[in-house]
């Protein structure tokens, strides 16, 4: 199981970031759970450089540019150089700020070009009775996968994060039964781009109000490969409880 802690902008001090990293190193020792931490960009280098633990690091986003005169941008190359091995791309909070599927694709391509494993976030804003949300998900996946080589496709991770479930409480998260249906649907979609067993190389994560109280049921009742956790990953005690609930 893979747990990605997306600290978003919840962490605004290096000392707190270091405490979370130290706790994650202890939690990751058992070897059952792989932990990836996604700190705000200014902390990435100080935590990740010289990291010899099992914990790995993700950058929360990468630039669609290749660097140069682009003030404020964090390129995939700089993130990889700072020690990241993963990149969260297409998070709904970035899509809400203007990332289109085409921009998401170019970010994925930059990440892959610099050896970062893209964690491609997909998710619908609402669930309608006509299931138009499935078309939205299909579009988010197909724009990226159709443009990648077969080898690149196997290097992807998908994070299914329904927007209606993000940043709420466990009671608002998806049910295990509904999540399992979505995992099967995503696996089927991936099978269109990666025939045979190749599609099983693409891990599928769930994100949206994952907490110590619901993580075990979501893992046990589905074929999910891991979780992308926001708020609950930004507190040492809660994150510890969350990882232990899965161990
Ligand atoms: P949440 O966020 O766990 O706070 O709902 C998940 C995410 O947005 O990645």
């Amino acid at each position: 199981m893979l747990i990605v802690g997306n600290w978003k902008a919840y962490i605004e001090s290096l000392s707190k970031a270091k405490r979370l990293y130290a706790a994650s190193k202890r939690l990751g020792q058992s070897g059952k759970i792989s932990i990836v931490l996604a700190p705000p960009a200014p902390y990435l280098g100080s935590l990740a450089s010289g990291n010899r633990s099992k914990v790995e690091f993700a950058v929360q986003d990468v630039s669609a540019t290749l660097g140069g005169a682009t003030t404020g941008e964090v390129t995939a190359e700089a993130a990889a150089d700072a020690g990241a091995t993963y990149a969260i791309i297409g998070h709904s909070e970035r899509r809400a700020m203007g990332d289109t599927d085409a921009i998401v694709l170019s970010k994925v391509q930059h990440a892959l070009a610099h050896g970062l494993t893209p964690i491609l976030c997909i998710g619908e804003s609402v669930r309608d009775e006509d299931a138009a949300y499935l078309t939205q998900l299909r579009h988010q996946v197909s724009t990226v996968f159709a443009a990648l080589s077969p080898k690149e496709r196997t290097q992807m991770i998908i994070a299914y994060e329904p927007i209606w479930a993000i940043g709420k409480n466990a009671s608002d998260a998806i049910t295990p039964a509904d999540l399992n249906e979505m995992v099967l649907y995503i696996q089927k979609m991936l099978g269109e781009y990666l025939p045979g067993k190749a599609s099983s190389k693409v891990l599928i994560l769930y994100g949206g109000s994952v907490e110590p109280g619901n993580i075990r049921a979501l893992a046990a009742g589905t074929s999910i490969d891991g979780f992308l956790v926001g708020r609950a990953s930004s507190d040492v005690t809660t994150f510890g409880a969350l990882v232990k609930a899965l161990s």
Side-chain angles (χ1 to χ4, degrees):
M1 277 269 161
L2 175 65
I3 296 192
V4 182
N6 176 13
W7 295 354
K8 304 192 181 187
Y10 289 121
I11 307 298
E12 296 173 286
S13 91
L14 183 58
S15 59
K16 183 157 186 206
K18 283 184 172 165
R19 280 201 298 279
L20 275 165
Y21 174 37
S24 301
K25 281 198 272 194
R26 286 194 297 276
L27 292 164
Q29 266 164 4
S30 79
K32 281 191 198 150
I33 313 281
S34 305
I35 298 175
V36 173
L37 302 177
Y43 303 135
L44 184 61
S46 9
L47 299 181
S49 70
N51 169 39
R52 282 196 202 84
S53 73
K54 288 188 182 148
V55 173
E56 289 188 73
F57 287 91
V59 63
Q60 293 182 8
D61 189 21
V62 295
S63 177
T65 74
L66 286 171
T70 53
T71 302
E73 296 291 321
V74 176
T75 61
E77 185 168 0
D81 188 54
T85 46
Y86 292 81
I88 298 172
I89 296 176
H91 191 282
S92 58
E93 287 151 17
R94 300 308 323 165
R95 291 183 191 262
M97 304 219 192
D99 277 15
T100 60
D101 285 323
I103 291 173
V104 168
L105 168 62
S106 67
K107 291 183 171 189
V108 165
Q109 287 170 323
H110 295 333
L112 286 168
H114 293 285
L116 299 172
T117 301
I119 301 172
L120 172 65
C121 300
I122 61 168
E124 75 279 4
S125 37
V126 285
R127 286 207 160 190
D128 56 311
E129 284 183 5
D130 301 333
Y133 68 92
L134 295 178
T135 311
Q136 191 185 349
L137 291 180
R138 177 167 286 277
H139 197 256
Q140 290 173 339
V141 171
S142 64
T143 317
V144 172
F145 274 69
L148 301 182
S149 69
K151 184 169 172 239
E152 288 172 329
R153 290 172 187 164
T154 62
Q155 293 163 347
M156 299 291 294
I157 292 178
I158 301 272
Y160 171 59
E161 300 206 299
I163 298 169
W164 48 266
I166 293 178
K168 309 254 180 66
N169 297 308
S171 57
D172 300 299
I174 199 165
T175 62
D178 283 353
L179 177 57
N180 208 34
E181 260 182 34
M182 292 312 299
V183 174
L184 295 175
Y185 182 75
I186 293 164
Q187 281 170 342
K188 196 162 153 268
M189 261 195 293
L190 293 175
E192 293 167 24
Y193 296 96
L194 286 164
K197 287 195 176 147
S199 64
S200 62
K201 291 196 177 141
V202 180
L203 300 184
I204 302 174
L205 314 181
Y206 167 74
S209 302
V210 175
E211 293 182 352
N214 65 357
I215 194 166
R216 196 200 285 260
L218 288 169
T222 68
S223 48
I224 202 81
D225 298 302
F227 297 92
L228 178 52
V229 185
R231 197 182 44 197
S233 74
S234 65
D235 175 81
V236 171
T237 312
T238 314
F239 191 55
L242 195 110
V243 175
K244 282 182 191 144
L246 264 195
S247 306

